[in-house]
């Protein structure tokens, strides 16, 4: 009898969930898209962009929300990672510097390269303090944050049957932990960063953590974790 493909619960918000689902299908896995979070764009009044030497984006969601607020694309961009950098280029920014890492890496890149104040487009409840990360890296430039989107809970419940779950953010990790750990006891859990894994570790679970905060690294540890388990039937 042919064994079925492992079923992987995708907890991230759309539109990213659909992109992840396509990658899982290409790996021969069965994606189960049931986001724990939904993204809502906000409409704040942006400050005068001429007062800033550059923009900073900590997520693809931030790029999308900011791009809808203004047609201006003349500021250089610091992006937390390659996916965010790609999103910035896709909406028309042509001077994009990827930190290829996490918030601390972005802080170091801004500290080393920014020539003046930086406007950071962030979530209403950000996962971290970019201004503090810049200061910790020895940077002296000011970072002004503007909240341009929020992530709200969808109230989704776990799928009826799944073999693994992906955690793309600390907020998704907290939402998953709030739902309780009983449904996860049998599953391989893969988290994109230590911060995303921490809420599950607090429940006594042991997520596999990607060595770098990128989806390709996340999918690598997912496959390794699945290789250590027999799929449920």
């Amino acid at each position: 009898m042919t064994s079925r493909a492992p079923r992987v619960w995708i907890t991230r918000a759309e539109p990213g969930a659909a992109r992840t689902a396509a990658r899982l299908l290409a790996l021969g896995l069965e994606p189960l898209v049931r986001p724990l979070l939904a993204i809502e764009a906000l409409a704040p009044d942006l400050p005068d962009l001429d007062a800033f030497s550059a923009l900073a984006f900590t997520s693809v969601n931030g790029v999308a929300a900011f791009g809808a607020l203004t047609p201006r694309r003349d500021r250089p961009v610091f992006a937390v990672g390659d996916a965010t950098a790609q999103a910035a280029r896709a909406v028309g920014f042509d001077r994009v510097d990827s930190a290829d890492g996490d918030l601390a890496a972005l802080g170091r890149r801004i500290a080393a390269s920014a020539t003046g104040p930086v406007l950071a487009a962030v979530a209403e409840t950000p996962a971290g303090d970019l201004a503090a990360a810049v200061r910790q890296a020895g940077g002296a430039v000011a970072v002004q944050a503007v909240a341009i989107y929020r992530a709200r809970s969808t109230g989704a419940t776990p799928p009826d049957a799944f073999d693994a779950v992906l955690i793309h953010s600390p907020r998704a990790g907290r939402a998953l932990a709030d739902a309780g750990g009983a449904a996860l006891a049998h599953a391989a859990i893969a988290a994109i960063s230590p911060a995303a894994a921490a809420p599950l570790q607090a429940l006594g679970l042991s997520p596999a953590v990607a060595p770098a905060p990128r989806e390709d690294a996340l999918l690598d540890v997912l496959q390794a974790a699945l290789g250590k388990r027999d799929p449920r039937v």
Side-chain angles (χ1 to χ4, degrees), residues 122-150:
V122 300
E124 185 177 54
T125 306
D129 187 338
L130 180 57
V134 172
R135 291 194 299 271
Q136 290 168 2
V141 298
V143 177
Q144 179 178 335
V146 57
I148 58 172
Y149 72 96
R150 66 166 60 102

Side-chain angles (χ1 to χ4, degrees), residues 46 49 55 57 61-73 93 119 121 146 148:
L46 294 178
L49 298 188
L55 306 173
F57 294 117
N61 295 321
V63 172
F66 185 89
L69 288 176
T70 174
R72 289 188 58 172
R73 302 291 188 266
F93 291 101
L119 181 65
V146 57
I148 58 172

Side-chain angles (χ1 to χ4, degrees), residues 178-220:
D178 289 344
L184 303 174
H186 72 277
I189 307 170
I192 202 165
S193 68
L200 282 304
Q201 291 168 336
L203 296 179
L205 299 170
S206 300
V209 180
R214 301 190 304 268
E215 191 173 67
D216 56 349
L218 176 63
L219 296 184
D220 285 344

Side-chain angles (χ1 to χ4, degrees), residues 23-175:
R23 296 188 70 174
L24 290 178
L25 283 171
L27 293 172
L29 304 173
E30 180 183 344
L32 304 174
V33 178
R34 190 170 294 193
L36 291 171
L37 302 172
I39 302 301
E40 294 180 354
L42 303 176
D45 292 329
L46 294 178
D48 181 4
L49 298 188
D50 290 332
F52 298 91
S53 70
L55 306 173
F57 294 117
T58 59
S59 72
V60 172
N61 295 321
V63 172
F66 185 89
L69 288 176
T70 174
R72 289 188 58 172
R73 302 291 188 266
D74 57 323
R75 300 291 89 181
V77 165
F78 292 100
V80 68
D82 290 345
T84 302
Q86 182 179 357
R89 295 186 186 100
V91 299
F93 291 101
D94 58 7
R95 291 179 289 167
V96 180
D97 184 359
S98 172
D100 191 26
D102 54 12
L103 196 72
L106 180 59
R108 291 192 294 270
R109 189 62 62 92
I110 291 171
S113 303
T115 60
V118 174
L119 181 65
V122 300
E124 185 177 54
T125 306
D129 187 338
L130 180 57
V134 172
R135 291 194 299 271
Q136 290 168 2
V141 298
V143 177
Q144 179 178 335
V146 57
I148 58 172
Y149 72 96
R150 66 166 60 102
R152 62 170 178 81
S153 173
T154 64
T157 57
D160 290 337
F162 60 99
D163 304 293
V165 58
L166 289 174
I167 308 168
H168 277 77
S169 69
R171 187 170 287 108
R174 290 193 294 271

